[in-house]
Amino acid sequence: MKEIERIKEAYAKRNQLARQNWYEPLNPVVYLTQQEKERKLIQLLKWAKLEPLADKKVLEIGCGSGGNLLHLIRLGFKPENLVANELLEERAFHARRTLPVVTKVMIGDASTLDMSDHSFDIVLQSTVFTSILDEEFQQKLAANIWRLVKPGGGILWYDFVYNNPNNPDVKGIPLRRIKELFPEGQIKSWRVTLAPPISRQVVKIHPALYHLFNSIPLLRTHRLCWISKQK
C-alpha cells in the first residue's frame, strides 16, 4: 500500500535528521511535557471511571519503543493485559526488549489487525493519525480500531492539532476530523502540551516558564481525548 510505504520512508528520514537532544529524558522540555501529559492522563482515567486498572485490556497502535505502555504499567495496568502494535520492525524490536515478556508485541499495519471484535477496554493511539496523510487510510484505521473496542470502553487519543510547517510528512487533526473518524463515539477532549518551539525557547530561560506559558490554551498544540463507545 502506497501510504504504508510513504510512512516508512518518512520515519526513516526523520530518524536520520533527528536531533537526539530534543528527546533526551533529562532535557527539561521532554520531562516537563511528559509530566504534564501524565497528570492529564491520570485525570482522564479517573474522569472516565476506568478504575480498577488491573483488569483493563489495552492495545496501543504505533507503540514505538513501548514507553507509553511502561507508564501504564506504573499506573496499575497489568503487563499481561497489554498488547503493543508497531508498523516499523526496528521500533517493534526495541519495544520487545523494553516491555515485560508477558506483554505481546505485534508487528504490522494496525488497519489490518486480525483480532476479535470488542477485544479491548482501551485502544491507545499517540501521534499516529497525524503521520497518515491519506484520509481514506485514516478512516480505514479508525474503523478497525473502533471495532476492537468493547462497549463501555474507548479510544485514548493523543495527537497534535496543527500542521507543522517544517514537516510536510504530518498533518494536524482538528476535533472536527476526530468526530468524522469516530461518528459513533462520545468525545471528551482536553488541550495539552505547550507548543514545542515555544517550550524549547522558554525553558532556556527557566524551566518554570513552561507552566506559565502552558497556562495559555492557545499555545497548546495537542489534544488528549477519551472517545467512548456506548454499551
Side-chain angles (χ1 to χ4, degrees), residues 46-207:
K46 289 183 173 294
W47 177 87
K49 296 181 171 58
L50 290 168
E51 298 172 285
L53 303 179
D55 63 359
K56 299 299 185 295
K57 294 185 177 181
V58 181
L59 165 68
E60 182 179 13
I61 62 167
C63 70
S65 60
N68 289 327
L69 292 179
L70 283 178
H71 178 60
L72 293 187
I73 293 170
R74 291 195 294 271
L75 290 180
F77 291 87
K78 295 296 184 184
E80 60 267 28
N81 289 335
L82 307 181
V83 176
N85 161 255
E86 174 56 49
L87 174 65
L88 306 175
E89 290 189 9
E90 181 180 353
R91 289 185 168 210
F93 293 150
H94 192 176
R96 179 65 287 159
R97 293 192 297 268
T98 301
L99 293 166
V101 174
V102 292
T103 298
K104 186 176 183 179
V105 178
M106 304 175 65
I107 303 174
D109 173 8
S111 73
T112 60
L113 282 176
D114 186 15
M115 307 177 79
S116 299
D117 292 358
H118 310 152
S119 296
F120 298 96
D121 299 285
I122 301 169
V123 176
L124 166 63
Q125 87 83 21
S126 179
T127 64
V128 170
F129 275 80
T130 45
S131 295
I132 303 170
L133 303 185
D134 186 307
E135 292 193 353
E136 289 187 10
F137 188 78
Q138 284 183 346
Q139 197 67 62
K140 180 183 177 183
L141 175 58
N144 197 42
I145 63 175
W146 187 250
R147 176 184 66 82
L148 297 175
V149 175
K150 296 178 180 178
I155 293 171
L156 181 56
W157 172 288
Y158 175 78
D159 225 325
F160 55 87
V161 178
Y162 304 113
N163 293 339
N164 183 343
N166 297 317
N167 186 356
D169 292 317
V170 297
K171 180 171 63 175
I173 308 286
L175 184 59
R176 167 187 51 79
R177 179 58 177 160
I178 301 174
K179 292 177 179 178
E180 292 173 355
L181 291 169
F182 303 100
E184 298 177 2
Q186 294 186 336
I187 302 174
K188 174 67 174 178
S189 172
W190 297 262
R191 285 289 291 272
V192 296
T193 307
L194 179 62
I198 297 174
S199 61
R200 283 192 287 268
Q201 294 302 315
V202 300
V203 300
K204 290 179 182 178
I205 302 171
H206 196 284

Side-chain angles (χ1 to χ4, degrees), residues 36 39-40 191-195 198 202 207-221:
E36 179 210 357
R39 288 194 298 270
K40 291 295 184 181
R191 285 289 291 272
V192 296
T193 307
L194 179 62
I198 297 174
V202 300
L209 290 176
Y210 179 94
H211 302 292
L212 176 62
F213 279 79
N214 196 42
S215 66
I216 304 172
L218 287 176
L219 299 183
R220 302 174 194 157
T221 53

